[in-house]
Amino acid sequence: MTEYPEAVDRRHTNSVKWDVKDGELPMTIADMDFKTSPAIIEAMKDKLTLGAFGYEDIPAEYFNAVADWYEKQHHFRPQTDWMIFTTGVVPAISSAVRRLTSLGDNVLVQAPVYNIFYNSIVNSGRHVVSSDLVYDVEQHSYSIDWEDLESKLADPLTNLMILCNPHNPVGIIWTRDQLIRLATLCRKYHVKIFSDEIHGDFTFNEQGYVPMFSLPEELIQDLEVAVSPSKTFNVAALHAATVIVPNANLRAQVSRGLNSEELAEPNLMAIPGTIAAYEKGSEWLTAVLDAIQDNRKVVSDFINDQLADVITVVPGQATYLIWLDVRKLTDDSDALAKFIQEKTGLILSAGNIYGGDGHNFLRMNVACPTKTVLSGLDRLARGIAEWQQK
Ligand SMILES: Cc1ncc(COP(=O)(O)O)c(C=O)c1O
């Protein structure tokens, strides 16, 4: 039997996810209910004991830890001089939008997609253009409409694409061939790529995911990749991430952007926390991945057994977020999510916020103990039964 990672009661801990009413169960925002790796906690304690918290440089050890992790876990070692420290993936995205595009430009995404991409684009006065992923209702799978994508990349106003690799919320792991095709098209139309790879450590296929910086040299010249321990080790409040930009000119531009927006300075825990995570956290992560994989199966089995006539689990291969097709119940998943919350206390993310066809889906976060998942499923079944009787 799997040794599950320890979970913590996060009520009344300033947790955004757990800021809910008594009795409510949030399976929403993408962080985990598991306590982080003991190695990270140890490193943070050592730092606290030191008691000196002045301004810090980013040591070589930090960049080596990032490179080692990608070499060991993902079979490609990014060069350390391609890397820049930053305070988060979203800050890096917003900075890239501002630095690499002009007011009024288009930034391309693939909806349904992580909702904050939209904020980063719109808040900077750029236009969102989506080449929506196409859902096959029979196969329960998404694909890229390459013709549509090419026509949108060809628009001279489209200068940046934000890719989610692997994809939140639909759980696709892009293959090397798909990434090569995408990067080739972007190169043809002079569109830069920001590849958000924050979910790259949560893959449940044989091969894992393909970091975009591992593509052939000629395809990574207009590329910025962001990685971070924040999802992997459940340390979102660490505010530490790394952007990896192989091309020196682009890297200089990105660096100027991050520095002028004051997004390149670490807080006191960012460096020791990240180094400990990448150097000592792999065993802890294996236990977490086992727990998530088990939970993914618990959800599919339950839904296939009890709710198959109304809900379909989209069989994603990545992330701890499960994408549930509820179109047989409604095409307004926001209304359904609110109804389920009101009747049962279960809080799921309504797919509407991710754009595209998200209004037909709910997103469920299963990075929690199995008993929590079971309670969520029980509430889901009750909520759906009441919805059907409305
Ligand atoms: C795809 C994606 N990118 C970025 C983030 C957040 O990154 P950060 O906390 O480093 O800004 C999330 C969090 O859910 C996410 O799902």
Side-chain angles (χ1 to χ4, degrees), residues 5-29:
E6 197 185 332
V8 258
D9 181 357
R10 302 176 63 205
R11 280 179 202 277
H12 312 299
T13 63
N14 299 333
S15 158
V16 173
K17 181 178 175 184
W18 280 93
D19 180 18
V20 296
K21 294 189 196 127
D22 282 349
E24 284 188 333
L25 173 58
M27 298 181 83
T28 46
I29 191 169

mmCIF file with all atom_site columns, all heavy atoms in Angstrom, residues 5-29:
data_model
loop_
_atom_site.group_PDB
_atom_site.id
_atom_site.type_symbol
_atom_site.label_atom_id
_atom_site.label_alt_id
_atom_site.label_comp_id
_atom_site.label_asym_id
_atom_site.label_entity_id
_atom_site.label_seq_id
_atom_site.pdbx_PDB_ins_code
_atom_site.Cartn_x
_atom_site.Cartn_y
_atom_site.Cartn_z
_atom_site.occupancy
_atom_site.B_iso_or_equiv
_atom_site.pdbx_formal_charge
_atom_site.auth_seq_id
_atom_site.auth_comp_id
_atom_site.auth_asym_id
_atom_site.auth_atom_id
_atom_site.pdbx_PDB_model_num
ATOM 1   N N   . PRO A 1 5  ? 1.719   11.049 1.319  1.00 0.00 ? 5  PRO A N   1
ATOM 2   C CA  . PRO A 1 5  ? 2.328   12.190 1.996  1.00 0.00 ? 5  PRO A CA  1
ATOM 3   C C   . PRO A 1 5  ? 1.376   12.751 3.049  1.00 0.00 ? 5  PRO A C   1
ATOM 4   O O   . PRO A 1 5  ? 0.153   12.586 2.934  1.00 0.00 ? 5  PRO A O   1
ATOM 5   C CB  . PRO A 1 5  ? 2.541   13.192 0.863  1.00 0.00 ? 5  PRO A CB  1
ATOM 6   C CG  . PRO A 1 5  ? 1.738   12.717 -0.280 1.00 0.00 ? 5  PRO A CG  1
ATOM 7   C CD  . PRO A 1 5  ? 1.402   11.294 -0.084 1.00 0.00 ? 5  PRO A CD  1
ATOM 8   N N   . GLU A 1 6  ? 1.956   13.398 4.026  1.00 0.00 ? 6  GLU A N   1
ATOM 9   C CA  . GLU A 1 6  ? 1.158   13.949 5.124  1.00 0.00 ? 6  GLU A CA  1
ATOM 10  C C   . GLU A 1 6  ? 0.331   15.150 4.623  1.00 0.00 ? 6  GLU A C   1
ATOM 11  O O   . GLU A 1 6  ? 0.817   15.950 3.815  1.00 0.00 ? 6  GLU A O   1
ATOM 12  C CB  . GLU A 1 6  ? 2.139   14.418 6.192  1.00 0.00 ? 6  GLU A CB  1
ATOM 13  C CG  . GLU A 1 6  ? 1.537   14.651 7.547  1.00 0.00 ? 6  GLU A CG  1
ATOM 14  C CD  . GLU A 1 6  ? 2.586   15.233 8.509  1.00 0.00 ? 6  GLU A CD  1
ATOM 15  O OE1 . GLU A 1 6  ? 3.789   14.967 8.327  1.00 0.00 ? 6  GLU A OE1 1
ATOM 16  O OE2 . GLU A 1 6  ? 2.176   15.964 9.414  1.00 0.00 ? 6  GLU A OE2 1
ATOM 17  N N   . ALA A 1 7  ? -0.903  15.231 5.107  1.00 0.00 ? 7  ALA A N   1
ATOM 18  C CA  . ALA A 1 7  ? -1.727  16.396 4.739  1.00 0.00 ? 7  ALA A CA  1
ATOM 19  C C   . ALA A 1 7  ? -1.858  17.307 5.958  1.00 0.00 ? 7  ALA A C   1
ATOM 20  O O   . ALA A 1 7  ? -1.685  16.869 7.086  1.00 0.00 ? 7  ALA A O   1
ATOM 21  C CB  . ALA A 1 7  ? -3.093  15.940 4.286  1.00 0.00 ? 7  ALA A CB  1
ATOM 22  N N   . VAL A 1 8  ? -2.135  18.579 5.692  1.00 0.00 ? 8  VAL A N   1
ATOM 23  C CA  . VAL A 1 8  ? -2.316  19.519 6.810  1.00 0.00 ? 8  VAL A CA  1
ATOM 24  C C   . VAL A 1 8  ? -3.708  20.133 6.744  1.00 0.00 ? 8  VAL A C   1
ATOM 25  O O   . VAL A 1 8  ? -4.254  20.332 5.658  1.00 0.00 ? 8  VAL A O   1
ATOM 26  C CB  . VAL A 1 8  ? -1.308  20.692 6.785  1.00 0.00 ? 8  VAL A CB  1
ATOM 27  C CG1 . VAL A 1 8  ? -0.199  20.488 7.760  1.00 0.00 ? 8  VAL A CG1 1
ATOM 28  C CG2 . VAL A 1 8  ? -0.783  20.985 5.404  1.00 0.00 ? 8  VAL A CG2 1
ATOM 29  N N   . ASP A 1 9  ? -4.249  20.449 7.920  1.00 0.00 ? 9  ASP A N   1
ATOM 30  C CA  . ASP A 1 9  ? -5.522  21.157 7.972  1.00 0.00 ? 9  ASP A CA  1
ATOM 31  C C   . ASP A 1 9  ? -5.220  22.628 7.681  1.00 0.00 ? 9  ASP A C   1
ATOM 32  O O   . ASP A 1 9  ? -4.546  23.297 8.470  1.00 0.00 ? 9  ASP A O   1
ATOM 33  C CB  . ASP A 1 9  ? -6.141  20.994 9.369  1.00 0.00 ? 9  ASP A CB  1
ATOM 34  C CG  . ASP A 1 9  ? -7.484  21.709 9.460  1.00 0.00 ? 9  ASP A CG  1
ATOM 35  O OD1 . ASP A 1 9  ? -7.888  22.358 8.461  1.00 0.00 ? 9  ASP A OD1 1
ATOM 36  O OD2 . ASP A 1 9  ? -8.130  21.621 10.519 1.00 0.00 ? 9  ASP A OD2 1
ATOM 37  N N   . ARG A 1 10 ? -5.697  23.111 6.564  1.00 0.00 ? 10 ARG A N   1
ATOM 38  C CA  . ARG A 1 10 ? -5.309  24.456 6.139  1.00 0.00 ? 10 ARG A CA  1
ATOM 39  C C   . ARG A 1 10 ? -6.366  25.513 6.436  1.00 0.00 ? 10 ARG A C   1
ATOM 40  O O   . ARG A 1 10 ? -6.230  26.665 6.021  1.00 0.00 ? 10 ARG A O   1
ATOM 41  C CB  . ARG A 1 10 ? -4.967  24.432 4.646  1.00 0.00 ? 10 ARG A CB  1
ATOM 42  C CG  . ARG A 1 10 ? -3.851  23.441 4.341  1.00 0.00 ? 10 ARG A CG  1
ATOM 43  C CD  . ARG A 1 10 ? -3.588  23.342 2.857  1.00 0.00 ? 10 ARG A CD  1
ATOM 44  N NE  . ARG A 1 10 ? -3.124  24.604 2.334  1.00 0.00 ? 10 ARG A NE  1
ATOM 45  C CZ  . ARG A 1 10 ? -3.268  24.983 1.064  1.00 0.00 ? 10 ARG A CZ  1
ATOM 46  N NH1 . ARG A 1 10 ? -3.873  24.192 0.208  1.00 0.00 ? 10 ARG A NH1 1
ATOM 47  N NH2 . ARG A 1 10 ? -2.826  26.142 0.653  1.00 0.00 ? 10 ARG A NH2 1
ATOM 48  N N   . ARG A 1 11 ? -7.427  25.100 7.129  1.00 0.00 ? 11 ARG A N   1
ATOM 49  C CA  . ARG A 1 11 ? -8.401  26.123 7.532  1.00 0.00 ? 11 ARG A CA  1
ATOM 50  C C   . ARG A 1 11 ? -7.723  27.123 8.457  1.00 0.00 ? 11 ARG A C   1
ATOM 51  O O   . ARG A 1 11 ? -6.904  26.751 9.281  1.00 0.00 ? 11 ARG A O   1
ATOM 52  C CB  . ARG A 1 11 ? -9.553  25.479 8.300  1.00 0.00 ? 11 ARG A CB  1
ATOM 53  C CG  . ARG A 1 11 ? -10.575 24.841 7.406  1.00 0.00 ? 11 ARG A CG  1
ATOM 54  C CD  . ARG A 1 11 ? -11.667 24.194 8.230  1.00 0.00 ? 11 ARG A CD  1
ATOM 55  N NE  . ARG A 1 11 ? -12.303 23.176 7.411  1.00 0.00 ? 11 ARG A NE  1
ATOM 56  C CZ  . ARG A 1 11 ? -13.272 23.427 6.526  1.00 0.00 ? 11 ARG A CZ  1
ATOM 57  N NH1 . ARG A 1 11 ? -13.741 24.650 6.383  1.00 0.00 ? 11 ARG A NH1 1
ATOM 58  N NH2 . ARG A 1 11 ? -13.781 22.465 5.800  1.00 0.00 ? 11 ARG A NH2 1
ATOM 59  N N   . HIS A 1 12 ? -8.111  28.382 8.350  1.00 0.00 ? 12 HIS A N   1
ATOM 60  C CA  . HIS A 1 12 ? -7.598  29.460 9.215  1.00 0.00 ? 12 HIS A CA  1
ATOM 61  C C   . HIS A 1 12 ? -6.077  29.585 9.145  1.00 0.00 ? 12 HIS A C   1
ATOM 62  O O   . HIS A 1 12 ? -5.407  29.823 10.144 1.00 0.00 ? 12 HIS A O   1
ATOM 63  C CB  . HIS A 1 12 ? -8.046  29.236 10.672 1.00 0.00 ? 12 HIS A CB  1
ATOM 64  C CG  . HIS A 1 12 ? -9.514  28.923 10.784 1.00 0.00 ? 12 HIS A CG  1
ATOM 65  N ND1 . HIS A 1 12 ? -10.495 29.795 10.374 1.00 0.00 ? 12 HIS A ND1 1
ATOM 66  C CD2 . HIS A 1 12 ? -10.162 27.809 11.202 1.00 0.00 ? 12 HIS A CD2 1
ATOM 67  C CE1 . HIS A 1 12 ? -11.684 29.236 10.548 1.00 0.00 ? 12 HIS A CE1 1
ATOM 68  N NE2 . HIS A 1 12 ? -11.512 28.038 11.042 1.00 0.00 ? 12 HIS A NE2 1
ATOM 69  N N   . THR A 1 13 ? -5.507  29.354 7.962  1.00 0.00 ? 13 THR A N   1
ATOM 70  C CA  . THR A 1 13 ? -4.059  29.534 7.798  1.00 0.00 ? 13 THR A CA  1
ATOM 71  C C   . THR A 1 13 ? -3.769  30.584 6.717  1.00 0.00 ? 13 THR A C   1
ATOM 72  O O   . THR A 1 13 ? -2.689  30.591 6.128  1.00 0.00 ? 13 THR A O   1
ATOM 73  C CB  . THR A 1 13 ? -3.371  28.218 7.385  1.00 0.00 ? 13 THR A CB  1
ATOM 74  O OG1 . THR A 1 13 ? -3.897  27.818 6.101  1.00 0.00 ? 13 THR A OG1 1
ATOM 75  C CG2 . THR A 1 13 ? -3.559  27.111 8.389  1.00 0.00 ? 13 THR A CG2 1
ATOM 76  N N   . ASN A 1 14 ? -4.737  31.430 6.421  1.00 0.00 ? 14 ASN A N   1
ATOM 77  C CA  . ASN A 1 14 ? -4.631  32.416 5.329  1.00 0.00 ? 14 ASN A CA  1
ATOM 78  C C   . ASN A 1 14 ? -4.600  31.760 3.961  1.00 0.00 ? 14 ASN A C   1
ATOM 79  O O   . ASN A 1 14 ? -4.217  32.384 2.977  1.00 0.00 ? 14 ASN A O   1
ATOM 80  C CB  . ASN A 1 14 ? -3.386  33.314 5.444  1.00 0.00 ? 14 ASN A CB  1
ATOM 81  C CG  . ASN A 1 14 ? -3.380  34.128 6.712  1.00 0.00 ? 14 ASN A CG  1
ATOM 82  O OD1 . ASN A 1 14 ? -4.445  34.427 7.255  1.00 0.00 ? 14 ASN A OD1 1
ATOM 83  N ND2 . ASN A 1 14 ? -2.206  34.456 7.204  1.00 0.00 ? 14 ASN A ND2 1
ATOM 84  N N   . SER A 1 15 ? -4.945  30.480 3.891  1.00 0.00 ? 15 SER A N   1
ATOM 85  C CA  . SER A 1 15 ? -4.953  29.796 2.595  1.00 0.00 ? 15 SER A CA  1
ATOM 86  C C   . SER A 1 15 ? -6.087  30.360 1.731  1.00 0.00 ? 15 SER A C   1
ATOM 87  O O   . SER A 1 15 ? -7.240  30.415 2.171  1.00 0.00 ? 15 SER A O   1
ATOM 88  C CB  . SER A 1 15 ? -5.163  28.296 2.834  1.00 0.00 ? 15 SER A CB  1
ATOM 89  O OG  . SER A 1 15 ? -5.667  27.692 1.668  1.00 0.00 ? 15 SER A OG  1
ATOM 90  N N   . VAL A 1 16 ? -5.760  30.757 0.521  1.00 0.00 ? 16 VAL A N   1
ATOM 91  C CA  . VAL A 1 16 ? -6.792  31.278 -0.391 1.00 0.00 ? 16 VAL A CA  1
ATOM 92  C C   . VAL A 1 16 ? -7.824  30.172 -0.665 1.00 0.00 ? 16 VAL A C   1
ATOM 93  O O   . VAL A 1 16 ? -9.030  30.404 -0.652 1.00 0.00 ? 16 VAL A O   1
ATOM 94  C CB  . VAL A 1 16 ? -6.141  31.728 -1.728 1.00 0.00 ? 16 VAL A CB  1
ATOM 95  C CG1 . VAL A 1 16 ? -7.192  32.098 -2.753 1.00 0.00 ? 16 VAL A CG1 1
ATOM 96  C CG2 . VAL A 1 16 ? -5.197  32.896 -1.492 1.00 0.00 ? 16 VAL A CG2 1
ATOM 97  N N   . LYS A 1 17 ? -7.309  28.961 -0.863 1.00 0.00 ? 17 LYS A N   1
ATOM 98  C CA  . LYS A 1 17 ? -8.211  27.849 -1.193 1.00 0.00 ? 17 LYS A CA  1
ATOM 99  C C   . LYS A 1 17 ? -9.158  27.523 -0.030 1.00 0.00 ? 17 LYS A C   1
ATOM 100 O O   . LYS A 1 17 ? -10.342 27.256 -0.246 1.00 0.00 ? 17 LYS A O   1
ATOM 101 C CB  . LYS A 1 17 ? -7.340  26.629 -1.504 1.00 0.00 ? 17 LYS A CB  1
ATOM 102 C CG  . LYS A 1 17 ? -8.065  25.369 -1.889 1.00 0.00 ? 17 LYS A CG  1
ATOM 103 C CD  . LYS A 1 17 ? -6.982  24.334 -2.197 1.00 0.00 ? 17 LYS A CD  1
ATOM 104 C CE  . LYS A 1 17 ? -7.483  22.988 -2.496 1.00 0.00 ? 17 LYS A CE  1
ATOM 105 N NZ  . LYS A 1 17 ? -6.327  22.064 -2.674 1.00 0.00 ? 17 LYS A NZ  1
ATOM 106 N N   . TRP A 1 18 ? -8.609  27.562 1.184  1.00 0.00 ? 18 TRP A N   1
ATOM 107 C CA  . TRP A 1 18 ? -9.394  27.124 2.337  1.00 0.00 ? 18 TRP A CA  1
ATOM 108 C C   . TRP A 1 18 ? -10.095 28.273 3.063  1.00 0.00 ? 18 TRP A C   1
ATOM 109 O O   . TRP A 1 18 ? -10.568 28.092 4.192  1.00 0.00 ? 18 TRP A O   1
ATOM 110 C CB  . TRP A 1 18 ? -8.503  26.324 3.290  1.00 0.00 ? 18 TRP A CB  1
ATOM 111 C CG  . TRP A 1 18 ? -8.337  24.917 2.782  1.00 0.00 ? 18 TRP A CG  1
ATOM 112 C CD1 . TRP A 1 18 ? -7.334  24.443 1.992  1.00 0.00 ? 18 TRP A CD1 1
ATOM 113 C CD2 . TRP A 1 18 ? -9.241  23.834 2.993  1.00 0.00 ? 18 TRP A CD2 1
ATOM 114 N NE1 . TRP A 1 18 ? -7.553  23.119 1.691  1.00 0.00 ? 18 TRP A NE1 1
ATOM 115 C CE2 . TRP A 1 18 ? -8.713  22.711 2.304  1.00 0.00 ? 18 TRP A CE2 1
ATOM 116 C CE3 . TRP A 1 18 ? -10.449 23.676 3.697  1.00 0.00 ? 18 TRP A CE3 1
ATOM 117 C CZ2 . TRP A 1 18 ? -9.340  21.466 2.287  1.00 0.00 ? 18 TRP A CZ2 1
ATOM 118 C CZ3 . TRP A 1 18 ? -11.072 22.426 3.693  1.00 0.00 ? 18 TRP A CZ3 1
ATOM 119 C CH2 . TRP A 1 18 ? -10.518 21.353 2.994  1.00 0.00 ? 18 TRP A CH2 1
ATOM 120 N N   . ASP A 1 19 ? -10.174 29.429 2.442  1.00 0.00 ? 19 ASP A N   1
ATOM 121 C CA  . ASP A 1 19 ? -10.931 30.535 3.031  1.00 0.00 ? 19 ASP A CA  1
ATOM 122 C C   . ASP A 1 19 ? -12.406 30.323 2.674  1.00 0.00 ? 19 ASP A C   1
ATOM 123 O O   . ASP A 1 19 ? -12.967 31.011 1.816  1.00 0.00 ? 19 ASP A O   1
ATOM 124 C CB  . ASP A 1 19 ? -10.395 31.871 2.480  1.00 0.00 ? 19 ASP A CB  1
ATOM 125 C CG  . ASP A 1 19 ? -11.141 33.060 3.063  1.00 0.00 ? 19 ASP A CG  1
ATOM 126 O OD1 . ASP A 1 19 ? -11.804 32.888 4.114  1.00 0.00 ? 19 ASP A OD1 1
ATOM 127 O OD2 . ASP A 1 19 ? -11.073 34.155 2.468  1.00 0.00 ? 19 ASP A OD2 1
ATOM 128 N N   . VAL A 1 20 ? -13.010 29.331 3.303  1.00 0.00 ? 20 VAL A N   1
ATOM 129 C CA  . VAL A 1 20 ? -14.386 28.928 2.958  1.00 0.00 ? 20 VAL A CA  1
ATOM 130 C C   . VAL A 1 20 ? -15.205 28.811 4.240  1.00 0.00 ? 20 VAL A C   1
ATOM 131 O O   . VAL A 1 20 ? -14.659 28.840 5.341  1.00 0.00 ? 20 VAL A O   1
ATOM 132 C CB  . VAL A 1 20 ? -14.385 27.565 2.219  1.00 0.00 ? 20 VAL A CB  1
ATOM 133 C CG1 . VAL A 1 20 ? -13.654 27.668 0.888  1.00 0.00 ? 20 VAL A CG1 1
ATOM 134 C CG2 . VAL A 1 20 ? -13.771 26.455 3.073  1.00 0.00 ? 20 VAL A CG2 1
ATOM 135 N N   . LYS A 1 21 ? -16.518 28.644 4.060  1.00 0.00 ? 21 LYS A N   1
ATOM 136 C CA  . LYS A 1 21 ? -17.378 28.523 5.247  1.00 0.00 ? 21 LYS A CA  1
ATOM 137 C C   . LYS A 1 21 ? -17.171 27.163 5.908  1.00 0.00 ? 21 LYS A C   1
ATOM 138 O O   . LYS A 1 21 ? -16.760 26.200 5.247  1.00 0.00 ? 21 LYS A O   1
ATOM 139 C CB  . LYS A 1 21 ? -18.843 28.631 4.821  1.00 0.00 ? 21 LYS A CB  1
ATOM 140 C CG  . LYS A 1 21 ? -19.208 29.987 4.290  1.00 0.00 ? 21 LYS A CG  1
ATOM 141 C CD  . LYS A 1 21 ? -20.731 30.049 4.122  1.00 0.00 ? 21 LYS A CD  1
ATOM 142 C CE  . LYS A 1 21 ? -21.092 31.220 3.234  1.00 0.00 ? 21 LYS A CE  1
ATOM 143 N NZ  . LYS A 1 21 ? -21.938 30.896 2.115  1.00 0.00 ? 21 LYS A NZ  1
ATOM 144 N N   . ASP A 1 22 ? -17.502 27.079 7.199  1.00 0.00 ? 22 ASP A N   1
ATOM 145 C CA  . ASP A 1 22 ? -17.418 25.797 7.895  1.00 0.00 ? 22 ASP A CA  1
ATOM 146 C C   . ASP A 1 22 ? -18.230 24.766 7.120  1.00 0.00 ? 22 ASP A C   1
ATOM 147 O O   . ASP A 1 22 ? -19.345 25.045 6.683  1.00 0.00 ? 22 ASP A O   1
ATOM 148 C CB  . ASP A 1 22 ? -17.990 25.916 9.316  1.00 0.00 ? 22 ASP A CB  1
ATOM 149 C CG  . ASP A 1 22 ? -16.980 26.584 10.236 1.00 0.00 ? 22 ASP A CG  1
ATOM 150 O OD1 . ASP A 1 22 ? -15.813 26.734 9.811  1.00 0.00 ? 22 ASP A OD1 1
ATOM 151 O OD2 . ASP A 1 22 ? -17.377 26.982 11.350 1.00 0.00 ? 22 ASP A OD2 1
ATOM 152 N N   . GLY A 1 23 ? -17.678 23.582 6.978  1.00 0.00 ? 23 GLY A N   1
ATOM 153 C CA  . GLY A 1 23 ? -18.411 22.503 6.302  1.00 0.00 ? 23 GLY A CA  1
ATOM 154 C C   . GLY A 1 23 ? -18.205 22.495 4.800  1.00 0.00 ? 23 GLY A C   1
ATOM 155 O O   . GLY A 1 23 ? -18.538 21.506 4.140  1.00 0.00 ? 23 GLY A O   1
ATOM 156 N N   . GLU A 1 24 ? -17.670 23.581 4.246  1.00 0.00 ? 24 GLU A N   1
ATOM 157 C CA  . GLU A 1 24 ? -17.442 23.570 2.795  1.00 0.00 ? 24 GLU A CA  1
ATOM 158 C C   . GLU A 1 24 ? -16.132 22.840 2.474  1.00 0.00 ? 24 GLU A C   1
ATOM 159 O O   . GLU A 1 24 ? -15.209 22.797 3.286  1.00 0.00 ? 24 GLU A O   1
ATOM 160 C CB  . GLU A 1 24 ? -17.391 25.007 2.250  1.00 0.00 ? 24 GLU A CB  1
ATOM 161 C CG  . GLU A 1 24 ? -18.783 25.624 2.162  1.00 0.00 ? 24 GLU A CG  1
ATOM 162 C CD  . GLU A 1 24 ? -18.799 26.969 1.437  1.00 0.00 ? 24 GLU A CD  1
ATOM 163 O OE1 . GLU A 1 24 ? -17.781 27.686 1.442  1.00 0.00 ? 24 GLU A OE1 1
ATOM 164 O OE2 . GLU A 1 24 ? -19.859 27.311 0.893  1.00 0.00 ? 24 GLU A OE2 1
ATOM 165 N N   . LEU A 1 25 ? -16.086 22.282 1.278  1.00 0.00 ? 25 LEU A N   1
ATOM 166 C CA  . LEU A 1 25 ? -14.906 21.527 0.847  1.00 0.00 ? 25 LEU A CA  1
ATOM 167 C C   . LEU A 1 25 ? -14.406 22.086 -0.490 1.00 0.00 ? 25 LEU A C   1
ATOM 168 O O   . LEU A 1 25 ? -15.014 21.854 -1.532 1.00 0.00 ? 25 LEU A O   1
ATOM 169 C CB  . LEU A 1 25 ? -15.280 20.038 0.686  1.00 0.00 ? 25 LEU A CB  1
ATOM 170 C CG  . LEU A 1 25 ? -14.202 19.140 0.086  1.00 0.00 ? 25 LEU A CG  1
ATOM 171 C CD1 . LEU A 1 25 ? -12.924 19.176 0.904  1.00 0.00 ? 25 LEU A CD1 1
ATOM 172 C CD2 . LEU A 1 25 ? -14.720 17.713 -0.024 1.00 0.00 ? 25 LEU A CD2 1
ATOM 173 N N   . PRO A 1 26 ? -13.291 22.829 -0.445 1.00 0.00 ? 26 PRO A N   1
ATOM 174 C CA  . PRO A 1 26 ? -12.784 23.401 -1.700 1.00 0.00 ? 26 PRO A CA  1
ATOM 175 C C   . PRO A 1 26 ? -11.887 22.415 -2.450 1.00 0.00 ? 26 PRO A C   1
ATOM 176 O O   . PRO A 1 26 ? -10.899 21.924 -1.912 1.00 0.00 ? 26 PRO A O   1
ATOM 177 C CB  . PRO A 1 26 ? -11.960 24.601 -1.211 1.00 0.00 ? 26 PRO A CB  1
ATOM 178 C CG  . PRO A 1 26 ? -11.474 24.213 0.141  1.00 0.00 ? 26 PRO A CG  1
ATOM 179 C CD  . PRO A 1 26 ? -12.485 23.252 0.729  1.00 0.00 ? 26 PRO A CD  1
ATOM 180 N N   . MET A 1 27 ? -12.245 22.131 -3.694 1.00 0.00 ? 27 MET A N   1
ATOM 181 C CA  . MET A 1 27 ? -11.359 21.316 -4.557 1.00 0.00 ? 27 MET A CA  1
ATOM 182 C C   . MET A 1 27 ? -11.068 22.181 -5.785 1.00 0.00 ? 27 MET A C   1
ATOM 183 O O   . MET A 1 27 ? -11.354 21.803 -6.916 1.00 0.00 ? 27 MET A O   1
ATOM 184 C CB  . MET A 1 27 ? -12.046 19.992 -4.909 1.00 0.00 ? 27 MET A CB  1
ATOM 185 C CG  . MET A 1 27 ? -12.325 19.143 -3.669 1.00 0.00 ? 27 MET A CG  1
ATOM 186 S SD  . MET A 1 27 ? -13.119 17.567 -4.033 1.00 0.00 ? 27 MET A SD  1
ATOM 187 C CE  . MET A 1 27 ? -11.707 16.550 -4.484 1.00 0.00 ? 27 MET A CE  1
ATOM 188 N N   . THR A 1 28 ? -10.547 23.355 -5.513 1.00 0.00 ? 28 THR A N   1
ATOM 189 C CA  . THR A 1 28 ? -10.490 24.410 -6.526 1.00 0.00 ? 28 THR A CA  1
ATOM 190 C C   . THR A 1 28 ? -9.052  24.784 -6.882 1.00 0.00 ? 28 THR A C   1
ATOM 191 O O   . THR A 1 28 ? -8.386  24.047 -7.602 1.00 0.00 ? 28 THR A O   1
ATOM 192 C CB  . THR A 1 28 ? -11.241 25.644 -6.000 1.00 0.00 ? 28 THR A CB  1
ATOM 193 O OG1 . THR A 1 28 ? -10.810 25.875 -4.641 1.00 0.00 ? 28 THR A OG1 1
ATOM 194 C CG2 . THR A 1 28 ? -12.735 25.431 -6.006 1.00 0.00 ? 28 THR A CG2 1
ATOM 195 N N   . ILE A 1 29 ? -8.633  25.918 -6.374 1.00 0.00 ? 29 ILE A N   1
ATOM 196 C CA  . ILE A 1 29 ? -7.372  26.552 -6.779 1.00 0.00 ? 29 ILE A CA  1
ATOM 197 C C   . ILE A 1 29 ? -6.202  25.543 -6.748 1.00 0.00 ? 29 ILE A C   1
ATOM 198 O O   . ILE A 1 29 ? -6.169  24.661 -5.884 1.00 0.00 ? 29 ILE A O   1
ATOM 199 C CB  . ILE A 1 29 ? -7.089  27.770 -5.863 1.00 0.00 ? 29 ILE A CB  1
ATOM 200 C CG1 . ILE A 1 29 ? -5.964  28.633 -6.374 1.00 0.00 ? 29 ILE A CG1 1
ATOM 201 C CG2 . ILE A 1 29 ? -6.846  27.359 -4.444 1.00 0.00 ? 29 ILE A CG2 1
ATOM 202 C CD1 . ILE A 1 29 ? -5.871  29.974 -5.627 1.00 0.00 ? 29 ILE A CD1 1
#
